[in-house]
Amino acid sequence: MKPILVEPFDRTHLLDRVRQTRLRGFDRRQVYRDAVVELTPPTSTDAFTPAQNYVLRPTVDTILALRANLLDEGIDLFALDGGAHVRMQDNPDEVVPVIPPVVEESREPDGRTVLVVNDGLHRLFAARSVGLPISVVLIRDVPPDCPYYAYALRDGWSQVAELDELPDTHQKKEYRVPGNYKALFRDFNEQFPGVQKQRKRSNPAHISE
């Protein structure tokens, strides 16, 4: 995880790109166009609620190694004031976007309003594993007809399992629309290519991938 090129960008660029994020469905609507989008200072991970019920240990280890190497470049992955495009020694042809996790205010069926982890669960879990706060992109006032596509875990971080690999038929989240949940999926890859890695497909057959 040794970087050979690091090109930082500021928070204005980060937030402007996030505001342009589109949904996979609903005519590719820009879901955050009129939302409040801000970058927080490093914040305890206790403030945020995951929706995904697992993390992969190898991915968490990779993030911690990347942070250690980026610190040598003057960039703290857990205290970003923007982001960076990074080329790694082991794959110099690939540009890796490094941005804060994205957290979204979400109204849950039981009446709770929580800050649900939208993108970057592994980054948050990595910070949590070493007892550090982390900066996030925080989004509020999302249109009520375009909620985050999965429900927050009722018991929060205690429901997130650490796995070495993802089992077959493992349902990752409780989806709002199981038959077409990707319609509400926020496509950050369009703005930051490569930030949303495609993981193994594992959901049961009745849930559309």
Side-chain angles (χ1 to χ4, degrees):
M1 296 304 294
K2 187 68 175 176
I4 58 174
L5 179 66
V6 179
E7 298 178 330
F9 52 82
D10 63 21
R11 65 166 58 200
T12 299
H13 177 78
L14 169 70
L15 298 179
D16 283 349
R17 299 298 288 182
V18 170
R19 285 189 185 94
Q20 296 176 50
T21 301
R22 295 182 182 274
L23 298 176
R24 286 276 180 88
F26 296 93
D27 296 321
R28 304 282 291 150
R29 181 175 175 181
Q30 287 184 319
V31 64
Y32 301 141
R33 185 183 61 187
D34 300 316
V36 177
V37 182
E38 58 187 343
L39 181 63
T40 73
T43 303
S44 169
T45 59
D46 288 339
F48 313 123
T49 306
Q52 183 169 290
N53 56 30
Y54 78 95
V55 292
L56 298 176
R57 290 189 188 94
T59 302
V60 173
D61 291 342
T62 296
I63 289 169
L64 292 174
L66 175 61
R67 177 176 183 260
N69 283 314
L70 286 177
L71 284 173
D72 293 338
E73 304 291 331
I75 295 176
D76 187 347
L77 186 61
F78 298 159
L80 293 170
D81 192 33
H85 293 112
V86 180
R87 292 183 187 271
M88 308 304 296
Q89 192 173 58
D90 59 347
N91 191 359
D93 294 330
E94 180 183 13
V95 177
V96 179
V98 174
I99 65 171
V102 180
V103 176
E104 187 173 315
E105 190 176 60
S106 176
R107 181 78 169 179
E108 298 300 304
D110 60 4
R112 293 179 301 152
T113 298
V114 302
L115 301 180
V116 69
V117 179
N118 186 325
D119 180 70
L121 180 66
H122 284 82
R123 280 163 274 164
L124 282 158
F125 196 92
R128 187 176 181 84
S129 72
V130 293
L132 290 176
I134 185 171
S135 299
V136 304
V137 176
L138 177 58
I139 302 173
R140 301 182 188 272
D141 297 336
V142 177
D145 60 333
C146 295
Y148 181 63
Y149 72 94
Y151 297 114
L153 298 176
R154 185 174 299 276
D155 295 322
W157 291 102
S158 66
Q159 288 183 257
V160 178
E162 295 182 72
L163 305 174
D164 290 321
E165 60 182 24
L166 194 60
D168 294 335
T169 69
H170 178 88
Q171 183 171 330
K172 306 167 188 177
K173 302 177 183 180
E174 183 183 354
Y175 303 104
R176 290 180 185 265
V177 186
N180 189 26
Y181 73 86
K182 284 292 180 75
L184 288 168
F185 183 83
R186 284 79 161 117
D187 191 357
F188 298 111
N189 269 332
E190 187 175 66
Q191 303 301 323
F192 300 100
V195 74
Q196 289 170 311
K197 298 291 186 182
Q198 178 64 54
R199 303 194 189 278
K200 171 185 172 181
R201 294 188 174 187
S202 69
N203 281 325
H206 72 281
I207 296 177
S208 171
E209 291 278 4

